[in-house]
Amino acid sequence: MEPAATSSIRSLLYIMLLLYSSLPIATATSQGDESRQANNKHVAVFVFGDSLFDPGNNNYLYVSIEGKANFTPYGESLFEYPTGRFCDGRTVPDFAATYLNLPLWEPYLQPGSHNFSKGANFASAGAGVLEESSPDRLYSQKQLKYFKEVANLLKQQLGDAEAKKILADAIYLSSFGGVDYMTFIRSISNPTELQQREHVNKVIGNFTDVIKEIYEMGGRKFAFQNVGPLGCTLRMKQEYDLSGGACVEVLQEIASLHNSLLSNVTTKLQSQLSGFDYVIFDFFNSLKDMINYPTKYGFNVSEIACCGIGSRRGFECGRVKQYELCSGPNEYVFFDGGHQSEHANSILSNFLWNGGSDFTWPISMKQLYELNSTIPIEILSKDKLLFSM
């Protein structure tokens, strides 16, 4: 028989060995659970905007053919049929949905059942912030009205608490302003600096009201795509008969002013509104860089569209019999005169989601997604803020 002291020491060592060997297993299991929770995190997305984000809502509006893309060759690269997207395939919100493990967008106006717990896309081609810019489209206040209807439906289906949680965790992705400024310069061909600033202030002011209403309804995470380089689109270059890399400067100036004010407004909102978080995707400079240095991004052509008519194929993609169509959309920055190809959208959406460039600030959409939102007591206690119509 061994001494009692030796037996006690061996027992103690055995217990210590068991405890030590269990530590890596417990740590690994804990990390695995956290990883699974992150991967399974469900966040809804509500999309607002114009033709850059429209998944086909205009298919269900009584508007002219210029406001629709429900005919070939739109959709040819991915869907193999036209969906109503102004693209040969997916748009930026589609790629964002993929990053979030959500299905590709269906139009909000499409008849049939919808699972709004995953969000909704209200974007409408030709839609502006201001009603006068596009009275027959889903301008910003109409899209906001539809969002309020969705919020009420979620309340009825899931109950107050779950509906409020979905809205607080959701990301609100938007693209507005371009239509307001295109309409503006067509009504005033040579606006003064004062007229430009007054109009931009009006657009930004109305858009800020929309943001605040979404916030009052429980929204906390906002992703803004700013206004693109409107004067450098092929449609505008062809319309103004510009040569080489020249752009319509008045449109560039207005877009830049809008983007500067949007940055200022979001900074102020974050300081004024508790829990307000946001990301701005610099669509203006990222697309402009793509146009100026196409080979840097894997493109061969940036000054002619894949589809359309005219010197830059800037108009009439698919709408007239004699339109031209390229054989490889992935080689082109623009699919038609005013909208990017699917390949370009995939690169732009990567900037939005992953950040890590000068084109996304103050955080990336991925970081926005990972933030935990809290529902303030005043929102929990005041149904009228969340579900007012």
Side-chain angles (χ1 to χ4, degrees), residues 191-251:
T192 64
E193 287 188 13
L194 178 59
Q195 288 174 318
Q196 293 176 39
R197 181 167 289 277
E198 287 177 343
H199 190 68
V200 173
N201 282 333
K202 184 178 181 181
V203 171
I204 289 289
N206 279 266
F207 185 49
T208 303
D209 290 341
V210 172
I211 297 168
K212 286 181 176 179
E213 283 206 55
I214 294 173
Y215 177 86
E216 288 180 351
M217 294 163 65
R220 292 297 179 266
K221 301 178 182 180
F222 295 82
F224 303 104
Q225 175 172 292
N226 69 15
V227 171
L230 301 175
C232 297
T233 61
L234 303 182
R235 174 187 302 165
M236 296 310 300
K237 288 185 177 185
Q238 185 170 319
E239 183 175 329
Y240 280 73
D241 195 24
L242 300 178
S243 60
C247 300
V248 182
E249 288 306 318
V250 64
L251 268 176

Side-chain angles (χ1 to χ4, degrees), residues 152-328:
N152 276 282
L153 186 61
L154 288 173
K155 176 186 177 183
Q156 295 167 16
Q157 294 176 341
L158 305 175
D160 288 3
E162 184 61 24
K164 290 168 183 175
K165 185 178 187 306
I166 288 173
L167 297 184
D169 288 339
I171 294 174
Y172 300 84
L173 174 63
S174 62
S175 168
F176 270 122
V179 173
D180 297 285
Y181 304 129
M182 303 279 275
T183 303
F184 174 65
I185 67 151
R186 288 194 169 101
S187 63
I188 305 176
S189 59
N190 192 24
T192 64
E193 287 188 13
L194 178 59
Q195 288 174 318
Q196 293 176 39
R197 181 167 289 277
E198 287 177 343
H199 190 68
V200 173
N201 282 333
K202 184 178 181 181
V203 171
I204 289 289
N206 279 266
F207 185 49
T208 303
D209 290 341
V210 172
I211 297 168
K212 286 181 176 179
E213 283 206 55
I214 294 173
Y215 177 86
E216 288 180 351
M217 294 163 65
R220 292 297 179 266
K221 301 178 182 180
F222 295 82
F224 303 104
Q225 175 172 292
N226 69 15
V227 171
L230 301 175
C232 297
T233 61
L234 303 182
R235 174 187 302 165
M236 296 310 300
K237 288 185 177 185
Q238 185 170 319
E239 183 175 329
Y240 280 73
D241 195 24
L242 300 178
S243 60
C247 300
V248 182
E249 288 306 318
V250 64
L251 268 176
Q252 293 294 88
E253 292 167 3
I254 293 173
S256 294
L257 178 57
H258 171 99
N259 294 340
S260 177
L261 293 181
L262 177 64
S263 292
N264 293 341
V265 163
T266 49
T267 300
K268 288 180 181 178
L269 288 175
Q270 189 171 49
S271 67
Q272 294 169 354
L273 304 178
S274 175
F276 179 93
D277 290 297
Y278 73 96
V279 55
I280 289 181
F281 168 50
D282 190 357
F283 181 48
F284 183 96
N285 283 305
S286 57
L287 182 57
K288 186 179 177 183
D289 200 55
M290 213 175 273
I291 294 168
N292 292 337
Y293 308 101
T295 56
K296 173 181 171 182
Y297 298 95
F299 299 102
N300 292 327
V301 186
S302 65
E303 291 296 338
I304 301 175
C306 172
C307 177
I309 65 172
S311 59
R312 297 181 186 267
R313 296 180 189 157
F315 295 96
E316 306 293 349
C317 174
R319 291 202 292 266
V320 293
K321 290 182 179 179
Q322 69 269 30
Y323 75 89
E324 300 176 72
L325 180 66
C326 72
S327 58

Side-chain angles (χ1 to χ4, degrees), residues 46-190:
F46 294 97
V47 182
F48 305 81
D50 49 32
S51 61
L52 295 171
F53 284 7
D54 186 358
N57 279 308
N58 278 20
N59 294 349
Y60 307 96
L61 294 179
Y62 187 69
V63 296
S64 65
I65 191 172
E66 287 80 9
K68 297 184 179 184
N70 58 346
F71 45 85
T72 57
Y74 288 109
E76 65 166 19
S77 294
L78 178 74
F79 303 101
E80 298 182 354
Y81 62 91
T83 63
R85 290 167 170 82
F86 284 78
C87 182
D88 58 305
R90 289 163 289 185
T91 61
V92 167
D94 288 319
F95 284 104
T98 301
Y99 285 125
L100 289 159
N101 296 316
L102 297 173
L104 299 184
W105 293 107
E106 294 179 345
Y108 169 74
L109 294 181
Q110 180 175 294
S113 61
H114 297 265
N115 181 4
F116 292 129
S117 66
K118 296 181 179 180
N121 189 326
F122 310 102
S124 168
V129 170
L130 306 177
E131 179 178 0
E132 59 261 35
S133 298
S134 52
D136 60 340
R137 312 297 167 89
L138 304 184
Y139 53 89
S140 64
Q141 284 294 333
K142 278 188 178 180
Q143 293 185 32
L144 179 64
K145 176 179 178 292
Y146 285 135
F147 169 65
K148 289 181 179 180
E149 292 177 0
V150 168
N152 276 282
L153 186 61
L154 288 173
K155 176 186 177 183
Q156 295 167 16
Q157 294 176 341
L158 305 175
D160 288 3
E162 184 61 24
K164 290 168 183 175
K165 185 178 187 306
I166 288 173
L167 297 184
D169 288 339
I171 294 174
Y172 300 84
L173 174 63
S174 62
S175 168
F176 270 122
V179 173
D180 297 285
Y181 304 129
M182 303 279 275
T183 303
F184 174 65
I185 67 151
R186 288 194 169 101
S187 63
I188 305 176
S189 59
N190 192 24

